[in-house]
Amino acid sequence: MALVGKQFPNISVDAMNEMGDTFKLNVLEEAKKNNKKVLLFWYPKDFTFVCPTEIHSFQEALSKFEDRNTMVIGASCDTPEVHFAWLNTPKDDGGIEGVTYPLLADTNRNLANALGILDITNERYDDETGLLMVDGDNVTYRATYLIDEEGKIFHESVNDMPLGRNVNEFIRLVDAYTHVQKNGEVCPANWEEGKEAMQATREAVATYLRN
């Protein structure tokens, strides 16, 4: 179910920072109380392979997001303790030491389940044991959400496990949405900051396509 255009779920989740502090974080409240956009990206598991490349890439771009009044938050279903262990593992050893933005620890999967991003391929009742069994790892896909200052989701995307994200595309999307907010124009295909946008009229699109 697409969530674009809807409010982000009002759910508080445990989070870990680089200092080792565990605290509650509510993404919706963070956007509203700080009057900031939020980029929330989910990854499957700590101590894995594609995940640290993405986590470091978002860290390297952190100042670009901050310049755009945008908070970055990472998330998985690992525990805060596992997050902290990974944050204390050097980059040269496959760790994420040096990452400064918070990481959600959605261990009860309440938020991931509300977003519908868990890798559950099937649920079945086992007649022999009388238990409900789950097929799949029950971890999240590589889902990304962009949330505006009012808590509305203006972008969502989900990658399968092996496919890493392009961080620059999310910077472009933040720029485009900010342009729409400020100027009331729409942003055509491949729009980037500094390029021409247009009014949402037949005349405007005809002029744009002629250029």
Side-chain angles (χ1 to χ4, degrees):
M1 182 179 67
L3 298 177
V4 169
K6 298 180 174 65
Q7 285 274 292
F8 193 82
N10 185 13
I11 297 174
S12 295
V13 181
D14 283 340
M16 169 65 64
N17 62 24
E18 78 276 15
M19 302 301 294
D21 301 318
T22 301
F23 58 98
K24 289 291 184 181
L25 193 152
N26 184 308
V27 174
L28 178 65
E29 289 179 357
E30 289 296 310
K32 288 185 171 183
K33 77 179 182 183
N34 294 304
N35 194 34
K36 291 179 180 287
K37 295 180 177 66
V38 177
L39 182 147
L40 171 66
F41 73 97
W42 294 80
Y43 61 91
K45 297 177 184 179
D46 290 359
F47 291 98
T48 52
F49 317 111
V50 176
C51 299
T53 69
E54 293 188 308
I55 290 169
H56 284 297
S57 291
F58 279 111
Q59 179 66 37
E60 290 164 7
L62 188 59
S63 63
K64 294 180 181 179
F65 286 105
E66 290 173 343
D67 289 345
R68 290 161 171 81
N69 195 43
T70 301
M71 304 173 61
V72 173
I73 301 172
S76 78
C77 297
D78 294 278
T79 66
E81 293 79 11
V82 175
H83 281 343
F84 190 54
W86 207 20
L87 284 163
N88 278 283
T89 302
K91 187 176 182 179
D92 289 349
D93 290 333
I96 59 170
E97 186 178 41
V99 169
T100 60
Y101 52 80
L103 298 176
L104 297 186
D106 189 26
T107 52
N108 58 19
R109 291 162 169 73
N110 285 339
L111 183 53
N113 187 56
L115 295 170
I117 56 174
L118 289 167
D119 173 26
I120 299 175
T121 56
N122 185 46
E123 290 183 344
R124 53 190 168 77
Y125 181 77
D126 189 308
D127 291 327
E128 185 175 333
T129 63
L131 299 174
L132 182 66
M133 307 297 288
V134 173
D135 296 323
D137 289 337
N138 202 24
V139 298
T140 66
Y141 291 105
R142 299 187 191 281
T144 314
Y145 297 88
L146 291 173
I147 301 136
D148 71 12
E149 298 86 347
E150 300 299 321
K152 185 184 82 172
I153 299 169
F154 65 91
H155 168 84
E156 64 177 327
S157 58
V158 183
N159 289 6
D160 202 353
M161 307 299 185
L163 305 178
R165 282 161 280 212
N166 183 336
V167 173
N168 289 328
E169 171 63 3
F170 301 112
I171 294 172
R172 188 193 74 84
L173 288 168
V174 169
D175 284 342
Y177 190 76
T178 301
H179 184 91
V180 172
Q181 288 177 309
K182 290 181 177 178
N183 300 289
E185 295 180 317
V186 295
C187 296
N190 301 318
W191 183 92
E192 294 177 346
E193 183 65 43
K195 289 188 176 181
E196 181 183 357
M198 61 187 184
Q199 296 294 322
T201 66
R202 288 172 59 91
E203 295 79 8
V205 70
T207 299
Y208 182 86
L209 292 173
R210 283 197 297 268
N211 293 335

